[in-house]
Amino acid sequence: MTTMTQRPPDTEPEPTQRAARAKSTLRGQENRAGLVLVSPTFVIVLVVVVLPILWTIVLAFQNVRLVDIQSQGLFGHWTLHNLQRVFSSPGFWSSLWTTVVYTVGSTLGSIVVGLIAALALRKPFRGRALVRGAMLLPYVAPVVAVAFVWQVLLSPDLGVVNHWGMNVFGWDRPIAFLTQRSYDVAGVPVPMALFTVIAFETWRYFPFAFLFLLARLQAVPAVLEEAAVVDGTTPWQRFRFILLPQLLPVIALLTVLRFIMTFNKFDDVYLLTGGGAGTDVVAVRVYRFLTARFDVGLASAQAVVLAVVLIVLLGLYFKFFGRRVQEEQS
Amino acid sequence: MTRAAFQDKFFGIMRWVVIAGLVVATLFPFYYMLLLSVKPIDDLLLDPGRIWVSASEFTVDSYRSVLTSVENGGQGFLLMLRNSALVSIGAVILTLLVAIPGAYAVSRLRFTGQRKVSALFLGVYLFPPTLLAVPLFVMFAKAGLQGSLVGLIIVYIAQTVPVAIYMLRSYFTTVPISIEEAAALDGCSRYQIVRRVVLPLAAPSVMATGLYVFMIAWNEFLFALLFLAAEPSHWTVSLGLQQLSNGVEVPKTVLMAGSVVLTLPVVLMFYGAERMLTEGLTSGADKS
């Protein structure tokens, strides 16, 4: 970022000797053209992403509500009060834990299902293109629509899942998948609503992993496997020792991408459960602080804490798996 | 039977079980959505387990209710469809206008900070949208953009430009540089090179990128909720549908009809150009 700001794409450069020489060379021309072409992107990302992020960090250390902002300057009274309130607010730690479970569960789920799907669809068969197209539907469809379909499907009174569950599988009463915090399965309490939300997330994002893994699978040279078949290996061995190592860099990259996106996810949980029944992820809390109480300071502080936790977790991840992800990106 | 032969057989069968399971899991919710949207609510309540619709009960009343304007007692989804279309198409055009030069520069020109630019743009996704929500909410309130579609378009550009550049860049680099040099020798300016040589060659990837942006803008919910909630005449379909579900006494069948209305345009567009899109998105992933 610093290098970008050092050389703004000025149209009228200072007529110093160096600038004049740079102007005359092809290399200098290329440099200026590059900066000019990239500047619209840079400006919009700066105004709508970078500045708001910096401002959030500032707001997190100020005591403001939405109504005060008009009257208050950008740099009002500095305070750690908001952070204190975030850490001491009821449900903060459980909410953070819920976010982590939700993120890890959804990331794992979508990648595992995506991998199984990619392996199943690897070899051509009649209608493969159709099946492949069908599998992208959950990813392409609008989140609001699919969240409502799931709500209706799982609804205790008119949902088809509960109806079949009671009539075919002999459940003694309907299961409130999205509104029940915990459900006893053979004496073990299962966090029902959280599991359902993770299942939804897995369903919606396995196509993303599937696409990337299928593309990578098809680039694995056929000779490798043919040689292994000749050597009398089993399919499992071929997967474990030939395909999986080839796929690991993509899996590592997918893990990072899905982790980041799910960690910050708001829509899915908000639409499915509204953050109730033990699915109170941090992103939904931020929204609630912002809109229900207009407490900008608290909402910002909560958002900043979320971002810091994410960065720390990513830092740990890269420390252990860093080389693999870099391999994939290089 | 040897272990290899057993596994061959086992995985051969499992493969079809998996495929069948996945097809049901992905398609059934959409079938259910469609089914409920053409069923009268009374028939649904009577027998929730019946997953087909008979000719006698088939009805388009739910769609009529959803699409009729608010003045005539409906839910006014036609107006929302127009809003969504405006926002999405606006976002596509503007994002491409911004991203094409940017992607060209990143893939072709050596300039100060070139390598850092890509990292910076991808870093955008590191920060939660909710983190942006607070200041954008305040900024837009101050700039008078709150409740306007223009404000929403601006946010969507910022959200989609990094991916757009990422997708376009990988394609631009595949255009042989010698073609560009030939055009330059023939006296083309840089603008002409991009306009007449690179863009026509990269047309499929530009289309794919445009579709992807359209999909994101059409499906987006959080920012629409934050900026437009107080302005019903500017609601997008996503927001309108969510607000509808909050309403009292809205039958689930009407909700499902609204979901179909929301889903159909984006799904039709996607399958119209599926190949281009999936190849554009993953073209960076299959290099060995």
Side-chain angles (χ1 to χ4, degrees):
Chain A
M1 205 168 94
T2 44
T3 9
M4 283 297 300
T5 43
Q6 269 169 17
R7 295 209 41 184
D10 41 357
T11 41
E12 292 286 340
E14 290 292 311
T16 62
Q17 213 180 351
R18 238 180 103 219
R21 189 149 31 104
K23 198 175 183 179
S24 63
T25 61
L26 217 56
R27 186 74 183 76
Q29 256 180 27
E30 194 177 324
N31 186 26
R32 267 195 311 284
L35 289 174
V36 169
L37 289 179
V38 120
S39 55
T41 310
F42 182 66
V43 167
I44 197 150
V45 170
L46 185 75
V47 173
V48 190
V49 179
V50 178
L51 287 181
I53 288 172
L54 295 179
W55 197 9
T56 313
I57 297 172
V58 171
L59 283 173
F61 293 98
Q62 293 179 337
N63 207 347
V64 272
R65 280 163 186 279
L66 200 55
V67 279
D68 309 331
I69 284 188
Q70 302 282 358
S71 52
Q72 209 165 27
L74 186 54
F75 299 100
H77 324 282
W78 296 92
T79 171
L80 290 174
H81 187 58
N82 290 324
L83 284 179
Q84 256 170 25
R85 279 161 71 212
V86 166
F87 285 110
S88 62
S89 66
F92 166 72
W93 292 107
S94 78
S95 162
L96 199 58
W97 176 241
T98 306
T99 310
V100 171
V101 173
Y102 165 68
T103 309
V104 171
S106 311
T107 304
L108 259 179
S110 62
I111 292 177
V112 168
V113 177
L115 177 62
I116 293 174
L119 289 170
L121 262 78
R122 188 177 170 216
K123 303 232 164 60
F125 56 88
R126 264 178 87 103
R128 182 171 75 154
L130 278 178
V131 173
R132 184 166 164 272
M135 277 201 235
L136 299 181
L137 258 179
Y139 180 61
V140 176
V143 57
V144 182
V146 287
F148 287 156
V149 177
W150 271 60
Q151 260 183 4
V152 178
L153 268 170
L154 301 174
S155 137
D157 44 348
L158 48 73
V160 72
V161 172
N162 272 309
H163 186 86
W164 284 351
M166 292 204 294
N167 292 342
V168 182
F169 301 111
W171 301 348
D172 47 0
R173 59 196 164 89
I175 299 174
F177 286 97
L178 288 164
T179 47
Q180 190 157 359
R181 180 181 291 268
S182 128
Y183 189 84
D184 271 349
V185 177
V188 185
V190 171
M192 198 67 213
L194 185 58
F195 267 36
T196 312
V197 172
I198 290 174
F200 175 78
E201 215 43 29
T202 302
W203 177 79
R204 201 155 111 76
Y205 286 103
F206 90 84
F208 184 79
F210 162 73
L211 272 185
F212 278 80
L213 289 168
L214 189 65
R216 186 67 190 82
L217 266 181
Q218 279 164 350
V220 174
V223 231
L224 286 180
E225 274 184 285
E226 283 159 15
V229 172
V230 174
D231 290 343
T233 52
T234 65
W236 172 255
Q237 286 171 323
R238 289 200 290 280
F239 167 73
R240 174 64 189 81
F241 296 105
I242 296 176
L243 292 181
L244 196 60
Q246 298 262 339
L247 292 177
L248 270 184
V250 185
I251 293 177
L253 179 67
L254 279 171
T255 310
V256 175
L257 286 179
R258 287 303 337 143
F259 195 91
I260 295 175
M261 303 220 175
T262 319
F263 201 79
N264 296 327
K265 199 102 206 151
F266 163 81
D267 320 24
D268 306 49
V269 173
Y270 179 76
L271 288 166
L272 279 175
T273 68
T279 59
D280 188 22
V281 295
V282 178
V284 175
R285 271 169 84 86
V286 175
Y287 173 80
R288 221 173 31 234
F289 288 153
L290 182 65
T291 56
R293 309 197 207 160
F294 294 107
D295 197 335
V296 176
L298 187 60
S300 307
Q302 178 75 80
V304 168
V305 169
L306 181 68
V308 168
V309 171
L310 176 62
I311 290 168
V312 168
L313 289 177
L314 283 178
L316 289 174
Y317 179 87
F318 278 104
K319 201 168 151 62
F320 291 114
F321 302 100
R323 204 179 302 147
R324 270 183 196 143
V325 181
Q326 257 173 10
E327 262 171 29
E328 173 58 17
Q329 278 175 339
S330 63
Chain B
M1 204 194 290
T2 65
R3 208 160 72 172
F6 167 75
Q7 280 195 13
D8 271 334
K9 197 149 201 154
F10 176 74
F11 285 116
I13 295 168
M14 278 311 283
R15 177 164 167 253
W16 292 106
V17 174
V18 164
I19 290 173
L22 285 172
V23 168
V24 171
T26 49
L27 288 184
F28 183 71
F30 293 95
Y31 169 74
Y32 192 68
M33 184 199 284
L34 210 56
L35 173 83
L36 259 56
S37 71
V38 295
K39 227 180 190 189
I41 182 77
D42 298 333
D43 287 329
L44 172 69
L45 292 172
L46 217 56
D47 185 4
R50 202 154 55 87
I51 53 161
W52 61 88
V53 60
S54 65
S56 63
E57 56 180 19
F58 180 87
T59 170
V60 290
D61 280 354
S62 299
Y63 288 98
R64 196 170 294 135
S65 152
V66 158
L67 293 175
T68 310
S69 66
V70 180
E71 298 88 70
N72 296 325
Q75 308 297 344
F77 267 48
L78 275 183
L79 181 68
M80 296 177 200
L81 277 170
R82 196 208 61 169
N83 290 339
S84 273
L86 276 179
V87 170
S88 312
I89 293 170
V92 169
I93 293 173
L94 292 173
T95 302
L96 286 179
L97 276 181
V98 170
I100 289 173
Y104 178 78
V106 172
S107 69
R108 269 293 189 267
L109 306 173
R110 284 163 302 168
F111 59 91
T112 325
Q114 178 193 19
R115 293 184 144 267
K116 295 198 179 72
V117 170
S118 333
L120 170 68
F121 292 160
L122 288 176
V124 165
Y125 293 98
L126 210 66
F127 295 95
T130 35
L131 190 67
L132 302 178
V134 182
L136 282 177
F137 190 73
V138 178
M139 266 164 71
F140 281 14
K142 266 194 166 175
L145 283 173
Q146 201 182 20
S148 87
L149 296 179
V150 178
L152 202 58
I153 293 179
I154 295 175
V155 177
Y156 291 169
I157 300 171
Q159 292 285 307
T160 51
V161 135
V163 190
I165 288 191
Y166 184 78
M167 285 171 73
L168 287 170
R169 188 190 60 178
S170 53
Y171 201 89
F172 281 174
T173 39
T174 65
V175 176
I177 206 156
S178 52
I179 299 183
E180 283 183 48
E181 285 166 356
L185 279 180
D186 289 343
C188 277
S189 68
R190 190 165 319 271
Y191 169 75
Q192 285 172 320
I193 293 177
V194 176
R195 173 84 184 66
R196 298 210 187 144
V197 179
V198 179
L199 272 189
L201 283 171
S205 115
V206 173
M207 283 278 293
T209 310
L211 265 166
Y212 189 72
V213 174
F214 182 90
M215 199 179 98
I216 291 184
W218 184 275
N219 295 352
E220 206 280 336
F221 170 67
L222 169 62
F223 288 111
L225 174 68
L226 276 172
F227 300 146
L228 303 180
E231 199 77 38
S233 63
H234 285 167
W235 284 354
T236 59
V237 189
S238 278
L239 178 59
L241 186 63
Q242 186 263 343
Q243 299 283 334
L244 179 65
S245 80
N246 282 343
V248 276
E249 295 300 312
V250 177
K252 295 294 179 205
T253 47
V254 171
L255 205 58
M256 289 299 101
S259 299
V260 174
V261 170
L262 169 61
T263 309
L264 213 55
V266 71
V267 165
L268 286 182
M269 268 198 135
F270 181 81
Y271 288 101
E274 186 216 332
R275 178 145 306 179
M276 276 191 299
L277 188 64
T278 51
E279 276 169 13
L281 187 64
T282 57
S283 58
D286 59 351
K287 57 190 176 206
S288 32

